[in-house]
Amino acid sequence: MADQPLIAILDYGIGNLHSAHKGFDHAGADARLTADRGLIAEAAGVVLPGVGAFRPCMEALQASGLDEVALEVIGRGTPFFGICIGMQLLCAGSEESPGCAGLGVFEQTVVRLPDGVKHPQMQWNVLDRRAPEHPMFAGQPAEAWMYFVHSFAAEDGPDVVATCDYGGPLVAAVARDDLWAVQFHPEKSGENGLRMLESFVTLAGDRAGVVA
């Protein structure tokens, strides 16, 4: 039996941590929900999940010390996946929480969804892929539907690889090298979401020299 790539899900005590853990477990990873710096450093890939409001999540991440760990991991080029609020925390900041800085990996600010649509967006929506050949979308159907629950989204920027239509185009996914981040919940998005998690596990395993 082939080895399973070790995927560390950052445990900062908030959000959809257990559902993300289960999702990556189903995707073929040796998924660990952990705050252990040594284990995170050994991981083939690292995941930052989250649900809720920007400030409480950012403060919890900082209190755990995992904000520094996340930046170290990203700086080393370890495959990294931000999910929902985890994606937003990678940005410079959010209109939801003025004065609370994010990790600043992506330069854009997170802004409120446009007027004229229901807040939050709580529905399935189809991805409009700007970079259809990106490995994030490997094996996805022509219309890839994902499940969204959010009232804020990142501004447009150079790293955006997919949007969705909700009162206009909203940023749904960003990627830079082996850093992926999505506004939707792949772990709650059925076969398409599982396929995306599997693509990340494959990426992490390839980078670490492990065959999943």
Side-chain angles (χ1 to χ4, degrees), residues 9-36:
I9 292 93
L10 299 182
D11 185 2
Y12 60 111
I14 198 167
N16 62 326
L17 306 182
H18 292 287
S19 62
H21 176 239
K22 290 179 181 178
F24 279 98
D25 189 55
H26 287 310
D30 175 10
R32 312 279 187 92
L33 183 58
T34 183
D36 185 295

Side-chain angles (χ1 to χ4, degrees), residues 31-115:
R32 312 279 187 92
L33 183 58
T34 183
D36 185 295
R37 290 182 179 229
L39 186 64
I40 295 166
E42 295 173 2
V46 178
V47 180
L48 176 60
V51 295
F54 186 92
R55 184 183 296 276
C57 287
M58 191 66 212
E59 290 178 347
L61 189 66
Q62 292 170 330
S64 70
L66 294 178
D67 58 330
E68 296 176 356
V69 174
L71 290 172
E72 290 169 3
V73 167
I74 293 169
R76 288 198 299 268
T78 300
F80 192 96
F81 199 164
I83 297 174
C84 194
I85 292 292
M87 171 181 167
Q88 295 183 12
L89 296 179
L90 292 168
C91 295
S94 175
E95 288 184 348
E96 183 180 22
S97 303
C100 180
L103 294 173
V105 178
F106 297 109
E107 63 185 18
Q108 58 261 56
T109 297
V110 176
V111 297
R112 184 171 173 79
L113 299 186
D115 294 335

